[in-house]
Amino acid sequence: MSTRNGKLDSNLLLLLTLGSAAILAGCALGMDQVPPPSGAPQPVAMTVTVCDSGEQGCSAATSFSLGTFRDLGVGVDWKNIPGGTHTQQIALVQPNGVVYQTVSHSFGVADGKLGAPAINDVIPVAGTFITQRSQTGEWTIDVSLDGQSVGTQKFQFTE
């Protein structure tokens, strides 16, 4: 394509040069935006604390007397939770293996971060089936995250 004064040819050449430069710059920017390879991902971890929620500070314990006990405090401290919305479920399992009660909580962790949320629940015991039927023995707290079992914590109810 040429014109009488060569103006179209120089404009076309300038357009092609600028377009090529923009494409190359876009490719270079795209390369900078690729996240660098990271080390092995940190595994999700948790610690379960079971306590008498009526005690000052709710100190961790592994055995509780049904005669003096009111409410079971269950605390789950998470580590390395990836960003997003998650659901924690705790199941209180009787000594015979039957689930007595489940409690669920949803929580969020900022995208692009690893979170360490602490989720605390209180499960009534005094005046319930547990004390009415003297359900003593080894009980289990089964903890799951987003439908996947993560771990358990055992404790005793005694007379």
Side-chain angles (χ1 to χ4, degrees), residues 29-103:
L29 286 176
M31 294 298 284
D32 291 341
Q33 293 174 359
V34 173
S38 61
Q42 297 294 319
V44 169
M46 59 101 192
T47 304
V48 178
T49 303
V50 183
C51 66
D52 179 347
S53 68
E55 289 182 358
Q56 182 93 16
C58 200
S59 300
T62 58
S63 184
F64 307 96
S65 171
L66 291 179
T68 60
F69 190 70
R70 182 166 175 76
D71 297 319
L72 182 69
V74 180
V76 182
D77 293 320
W78 292 99
K79 291 185 175 72
N80 303 319
I81 301 294
T85 301
H86 302 280
T87 301
Q88 166 191 292
Q89 182 177 35
I90 60 169
L92 182 59
V93 183
Q94 300 175 65
N96 64 3
V98 175
V99 173
Y100 173 76
Q101 182 177 357
T102 59
V103 179

